[in-house]
Amino acid sequence: MRSTKLINRDWLFRLEDRKEFGEESANEQGFRSLDLPHDWSVDYEPDQNEKTGGGGGYGKSGVAWYRKHLTIENITENEKIYLCFEGVYMDSTVYVNGREAGGHGYGYTTFYVDITSYVKEGENVIAVRVNNGLVPNSRWYSGSGIYRDVYLVRTEKVHFTHFGVRVATNGLYPKQDCADLQIKAMVTNDSDVPVHIGVQHKLYDAEGNLVSTSGIALYLAAGETGDCMVRPQVQGPHLWTDEAPYLYTLVSTVVRDGEAIDEFSCRTGIRTATFDADKGFLLNGKTVKIKGMCLHHDCGMTGAVGYRDSWERRLKKLKDMGCNGVRCSHNPPVPALLDLCDELGFLVMDEAFDEWLLAKNKTDNYYSEALAYGSSMFFTNHAKEDLTTMLRRDYNHPSVVIWSIGNEIPEQSSNDGVKILKMLQDICHSEDTSRMVTSACDNIAAIEPIRTRREFENALDVVGYNYAGRWRERAETFYEEDKTEFPERRMIGTENPSAGGTRGDYSGDGRRGGYAIATMHHEALWRYTASHDFVSGDYLWTGIDYLGETRWPSRGAGCGPIDTAGFEKDTFYYFRSIWNDKETTLHLLPAWNFKGQEGEYKAVIAYTNCQYVKLYINGRFVGERGYECPRFGCTKSWLDCFGNRYTTNDLHLAWDVAYEPGTLRAEGYIDGELAAVEEITTTGAMTALKAEVDKTVNKVDGLFQIELSAWDADGRFVPDACPMISCEVEGPAHLIGMDAGDLMDLSLYGNANRKMFNGRLLATVQADAPGRITVKLTAESGETVSVTVKAE
């Protein structure tokens, strides 16, 4: 039977390239011990002279080696043994007991190395060379090293092929009270004799009840791989939706002579997902507007390492914001992220490549005529393999609703662009007939010669628009011209402006004019998207700040409504006010601490889904503001429209208020009733720290994420406190790092000391063994707070 063992513990690492490091008996002096996953780029402070440049967040590059002494016991002649690497950045070569066994070029896809003929009973030496020395080579921050999980996989010689079981919803009949499924299983016979086998499938609901069984026989000659298929039905199915993400468990078994010899288990959902030229995105036959965010794969303090706990905290905040979609930009994500999207109900655009044959200049954003490195180096020989791996690995995730074969591909305006597009799209269609395909086009309506060719656009199942309002009059009309010219075209906003900024910055001199107008680029777009069904929705750039795409002395880009530490910016509440219609939102800004600026007028902003808001300062009435989106006209007579309280076409409310210390009070009303109150008060200096931890109990290797905040003597949050904080960990755990979301702070995330930024700081601790763990956080001025948690 199949055995899958996580082998992340007890590796050796050295950032130096010597040929002898691949030898079985290599001298390991100078290597340091660590556990995987590991991104060596965040082991060093950003360096302005690093060749990765601003595009790569000035991260450390180079060539490094990993080594592991791995004991393998009870090896039999009837088994296959593999190493599974979920992600190595990049260009890796794997050695087993001194012999080259395999490797992989593209840094973002999972790959297997067959080590059956290289291993021996007892201790074995695994060595992995990682070449990230040809830089810059990715957009944006890539990280370096074995940055995802590694497994030892053992199977019999007759076994399911890697990612060989694929389940899809074939249809919902007649009124969605019966689901017709299609389950395909690919089996490989690596033995030297032909076999007759059976493949059985059992589907269980979320409560563990068996709801479907099916099976089929299969004949395989020696060395042959074959597919088989069944179409079971599920009566009264629980459908997977973005609001109710119900999951089933499929258990598939290979049987020979009545004995189970291989087994594969996965979670899946029953749902249909498609795109329509008039109705937009249809989930189970109903129009659902995609309110999505693009996400890069980095996680702030851990760099390219994407722990499940870290993504869970981030995604839950996006969900609370009203976001229901994630675009994996611009490469296949860590599998744990897709697992969470299944569980939480996100509509995922799974993306394969940021470049095809034409390499992009990783600093200036476009392809370069100069020598440029990147995934294009591997495209000709490995694109089919890499794309197929993504399609098969992610096939069973109900959250994945569309495949993207490329982002801002320069070939969109070249002679061979359509040829390559069709080749990649045909691979998608061959592997998966249930999902449509897009590519994110950034030059629709651009000037020549970079303009996207019409034949390139028209070849796509769904046309992806990056910055639909970028070009000339389309700043007002967005998709209108193309809908008129191509009425049968399916459309999705693959990348459009988000609303970010710097958390707690109210200087008014930020990018695009500061906090007062931070959301306006998105507001016009959302009014159009929300009121036109044919636009399937949007994936905005971005949901969370990310490393790279920056200029010194910053380490990243502040495009998101959530910072790298996972803290909500003011713009988070803008999106929550227009996207989360299940809960009332009323958020007031700026923080009312402007000592020395008395009498100066400040823009006071409210993000709300209340119908109108009344603002007061120190008990005095300032004014009333209101808006509606989408606006709805008269229903019976023109008199219906009288009595509304609309004062703006913006999606935020604004007042100009002369600063004086004290309290701003906003009262939000719905249908004439007070629905929400928000107050902001001038605060004193920080006198206390508060700490909240996301989990009080977690498993070994799990993360405890502690949100630290500053408070004054009257129990008010202090929004401009930036003291140095030190962290001490007692018990079976270690500090992963600290992050305050300040992209201008270039110190090491892993240090035990870091400055708080505008009243907040995140400390992350990883459990090493079972037991009680105490984390003590102390400010330079003496304030302290402790958190005690437990690892099991």
Side-chain angles (χ1 to χ4, degrees):
M1 286 288 286
R2 178 179 298 260
S3 166
T4 301
K5 179 183 178 182
L6 186 66
I7 56 170
N8 284 348
R9 290 290 185 99
D10 303 322
W11 287 72
L12 300 171
F13 170 77
R14 186 166 176 176
L15 184 56
E16 185 179 356
D17 188 24
R18 294 187 188 176
K19 186 177 181 180
E20 59 263 32
F21 290 164
E23 297 174 2
E24 183 177 2
S25 58
N27 186 344
E28 293 176 342
Q29 232 178 356
F31 281 75
R32 66 182 175 96
S33 300
L34 52 75
D35 295 335
L36 302 180
H38 171 240
D39 172 8
W40 83 64
S41 293
V42 289
D43 290 345
Y44 301 84
E45 293 182 357
D47 183 348
Q48 186 177 7
N49 298 316
E50 256 296 334
K51 292 181 180 179
T52 53
Y58 305 100
K60 186 74 170 177
S61 57
V63 181
W65 284 81
Y66 294 83
R67 289 175 60 87
K68 180 175 177 63
H69 294 259
L70 179 65
T71 300
I72 304 177
E73 297 176 330
N74 301 316
I75 298 174
T76 70
E77 293 183 357
N78 191 40
E79 72 174 320
K80 298 286 289 185
I81 305 176
Y82 304 92
L83 290 174
C84 172
F85 295 86
E86 287 190 344
V88 180
Y89 201 89
M90 61 178 298
D91 195 11
S92 60
T93 309
V94 179
Y95 298 83
V96 178
N97 297 324
R99 293 188 292 163
E100 183 176 336
H104 197 64
Y106 190 35
Y108 295 109
T109 44
T110 299
F111 64 98
Y112 282 79
V113 178
D114 184 346
I115 61 172
T116 308
S117 60
Y118 301 93
V119 295
K120 59 188 179 182
E121 187 77 17
E123 183 178 282
N124 294 266
V125 177
I126 311 299
V128 183
R129 181 181 186 266
V130 182
N131 179 9
N132 194 24
L134 301 176
V135 292
N137 57 40
S138 183
R139 300 186 325 152
W140 295 106
Y141 178 88
S142 66
S144 304
I146 307 177
Y147 68 100
R148 293 179 183 169
D149 290 337
V150 182
Y151 296 89
L152 178 70
V153 181
R154 301 173 70 170
T155 71
E156 293 203 21
K157 287 191 174 180
V158 179
H159 58 92
F160 286 120
T161 308
H162 306 313
F163 314 121
V165 178
R166 291 142 289 153
V167 56
T169 303
N170 198 57
L172 301 173
Y173 310 100
K175 296 181 180 179
Q176 298 192 340
D177 55 2
C178 177
D180 183 41
L181 304 184
Q182 174 182 287
I183 306 174
K184 296 179 72 175
M186 185 177 293
V187 183
T188 296
N189 176 15
D190 281 321
S191 73
D192 55 6
V193 296
V195 294
H196 288 275
I197 58 172
V199 179
Q200 298 176 340
H201 304 282
K202 294 183 178 181
L203 189 71
Y204 298 87
D205 65 17
E207 290 72 42
N209 301 309
L210 181 64
V211 298
S212 171
T213 60
S214 52
I216 193 170
L218 184 65
Y219 169 81
L220 294 172
E224 192 173 49
T225 294
D227 243 334
C228 56
M229 185 170 71
V230 295
R231 278 184 52 188
Q233 291 187 340
V234 177
Q235 301 296 326
H238 297 274
L239 301 185
W240 186 95
T241 71
D242 59 320
E243 295 184 342
Y246 190 94
L247 294 174
Y248 291 82
T249 298
L250 175 68
V251 179
S252 301
T253 309
V254 178
V255 178
R256 181 180 58 195
D257 299 329
E259 179 185 356
I261 59 173
D262 196 8
E263 185 173 281
F264 171 84
S265 176
C266 73
R267 293 183 306 172
T268 191
I270 296 176
R271 60 103 184 100
T272 60
T274 191
F275 291 79
D276 183 84
D278 297 317
K279 298 177 182 179
F281 174 66
L282 300 176
L283 184 62
N284 302 321
K286 299 179 180 178
T287 297
V288 173
K289 190 70 73 175
I290 296 175
K291 298 173 287 188
M293 288 289 182
C294 300
L295 297 180
H296 264 297
H297 78 142
D298 74 85
C299 285
M301 73 173 74
T302 58
V305 176
Y307 293 105
R308 178 188 165 93
D309 287 333
S310 179
W311 275 119
E312 181 179 18
R313 173 175 170 266
R314 290 168 150 222
L315 290 175
K316 283 183 175 179
K317 292 197 176 191
L318 286 175
K319 197 68 177 181
D320 176 61
M321 192 179 77
C323 174
N324 70 352
V326 166
R327 176 187 175 214
C328 304
S329 48
H330 302 295
N331 32 257
V334 62
L337 184 142
L338 294 182
D339 291 338
L340 287 164
C341 287
D342 292 342
E343 296 169 18
L344 298 173
F346 285 93
L347 306 168
V348 175
M349 177 181 293
D350 205 351
E351 193 157 78
F353 306 113
D354 190 40
E355 60 188 21
W356 296 344
L357 283 176
L358 289 172
K360 298 175 181 176
N361 184 306
K362 308 306 185 296
T363 301
D364 298 331
N365 201 11
Y366 265 102
Y367 72 91
S368 172
E369 294 177 358
L371 186 64
Y373 305 109
S375 60
S376 58
M377 297 187 294
F378 311 104
F379 187 82
T380 299
N381 294 323
H382 298 287
K384 181 176 181 180
E385 171 194 352
D386 289 328
L387 178 57
T388 301
T389 296
M390 182 190 84
L391 297 170
R392 292 181 180 178
R393 188 197 74 168
D394 301 344
Y395 188 102
N396 295 329
H397 290 282
S399 58
V400 176
V401 297
I402 189 169
W403 306 113
S404 171
I405 53 177
N407 169 67
E408 299 184 353
I409 299 299
E411 285 92 337
Q412 64 191 286
S413 60
S414 70
N415 288 336
D416 284 348
V418 176
K419 177 183 175 181
I420 301 173
L421 181 157
K422 289 182 177 178
M423 180 269 291
L424 296 173
Q425 187 165 256
D426 285 347
I427 293 171
C428 294
H429 290 164
S430 175
E431 291 289 332
D432 183 4
T433 56
S434 68
R435 294 179 177 94
M436 292 184 177
V437 180
T438 189
S439 183
C441 303
D442 62 328
N443 285 326
I444 294 176
I447 59 172
E448 301 294 351
I450 63 172
R451 189 198 190 289
T452 309
R453 296 196 175 192
R454 285 300 197 193
E455 56 268 31
F456 188 96
E457 301 168 27
N458 292 334
L460 290 165
D461 295 339
V462 183
V463 179
Y465 286 75
N466 281 18
Y467 305 98
R470 173 178 282 173
W471 301 104
R472 297 175 298 280
E473 66 277 1
R474 294 195 181 209
E476 287 286 350
T477 59
F478 300 108
Y479 304 91
E480 202 69 35
E481 289 86 351
D482 287 353
K483 179 60 177 175
T484 300
E485 186 174 356
F486 304 103
E488 299 305 312
R489 174 176 290 186
R490 307 178 189 95
M491 302 180 181
I492 179 70
T494 38
E495 186 175 315
N496 274 311
S498 181
T502 301
R503 179 176 55 79
D505 177 12
Y506 304 113
S507 61
D509 59 357
R511 186 182 180 191
R512 295 177 177 170
Y515 75 91
I517 58 171
T519 61
M520 294 188 72
H521 277 270
H522 180 260
E523 291 181 30
L525 173 73
W526 179 247
R527 278 201 173 276
Y528 187 97
T529 300
S531 56
H532 292 79
D533 287 346
F534 69 85
V535 182
S536 300
D538 261 316
Y539 294 95
L540 305 179
W541 192 262
T542 55
I544 302 172
D545 291 353
Y546 56 97
L547 304 179
E549 195 175 15
T550 189
R551 294 186 179 183
W552 191 262
S554 169
R555 70 197 310 161
C559 301
I562 297 175
D563 66 24
T564 54
F567 291 124
E568 302 89 338
K569 304 178 187 178
D570 291 308
T571 45
F572 171 95
Y573 298 96
Y574 159 70
F575 286 110
R576 194 177 193 271
S577 72
I578 63 170
W579 281 357
N580 184 344
D581 58 5
K582 301 291 189 297
E583 298 174 86
T584 301
T585 297
L586 175 57
H587 180 74
L588 198 60
L589 62 142
W592 208 236
N593 284 11
F594 293 103
K595 186 177 180 179
Q597 300 178 48
E598 287 77 9
E600 294 183 17
Y601 278 89
K602 302 296 179 182
V604 175
I605 307 296
Y607 299 134
T608 185
N609 52 11
C610 295
Q611 291 169 339
Y612 60 95
V613 173
K614 294 180 179 180
L615 181 71
Y616 300 84
I617 182 169
N618 293 328
R620 304 190 307 275
F621 182 63
V622 175
E624 178 185 302
R625 302 285 188 270
Y627 77 93
E628 184 183 58
C629 178
R631 293 194 303 272
F632 197 73
C634 303
T635 55
K636 296 180 180 179
S637 74
W638 60 276
L639 293 173
D640 290 350
C641 297
F642 284 111
N644 66 46
R645 296 171 181 263
Y646 313 146
T647 61
T648 180
N649 284 327
D650 297 328
L651 301 185
H652 68 274
L653 307 179
W655 299 260
D656 288 326
V657 181
Y659 175 68
E660 60 182 66
T663 299
L664 288 172
R665 175 183 172 90
E667 297 179 349
Y669 292 81
I670 298 175
D671 296 332
E673 299 292 328
L674 183 64
V677 174
E678 173 86 349
E679 289 188 344
I680 296 178
T681 301
T682 307
T683 70
M686 182 191 79
T687 60
L689 297 174
K690 289 186 180 180
E692 295 182 6
V693 62
D694 64 331
K695 294 181 176 73
T696 56
V697 179
N698 205 349
K699 63 182 184 300
V700 174
D701 292 331
L703 304 186
F704 296 98
Q705 299 173 92
I706 304 164
E707 295 188 1
L708 188 70
S709 54
W711 297 78
D712 71 4
D714 294 319
R716 296 173 298 206
F717 171 69
V718 182
D720 51 5
C722 299
M724 184 67 72
I725 303 292
S726 64
C727 180
E728 299 176 50
V729 180
E730 297 179 1
H734 68 278
L735 177 69
I736 289 284
M738 294 192 287
D739 183 10
D742 181 9
L743 294 169
M744 304 296 284
D745 185 344
L746 304 181
S747 59
L748 279 181
Y749 286 123
N751 283 346
N753 298 279
R754 194 174 192 84
K755 287 191 70 174
M756 179 178 279
F757 181 60
N758 290 337
R760 299 193 185 279
L761 178 73
L762 177 72
T764 299
V765 171
Q766 186 174 36
D768 299 322
R772 289 172 60 85
I773 301 161
T774 299
V775 182
K776 182 179 178 182
L777 296 152
T778 305
E780 56 189 327
S781 48
E783 296 85 358
T784 187
V785 66
S786 294
V787 171
T788 299
V789 295
K790 182 180 180 182
E792 296 181 338

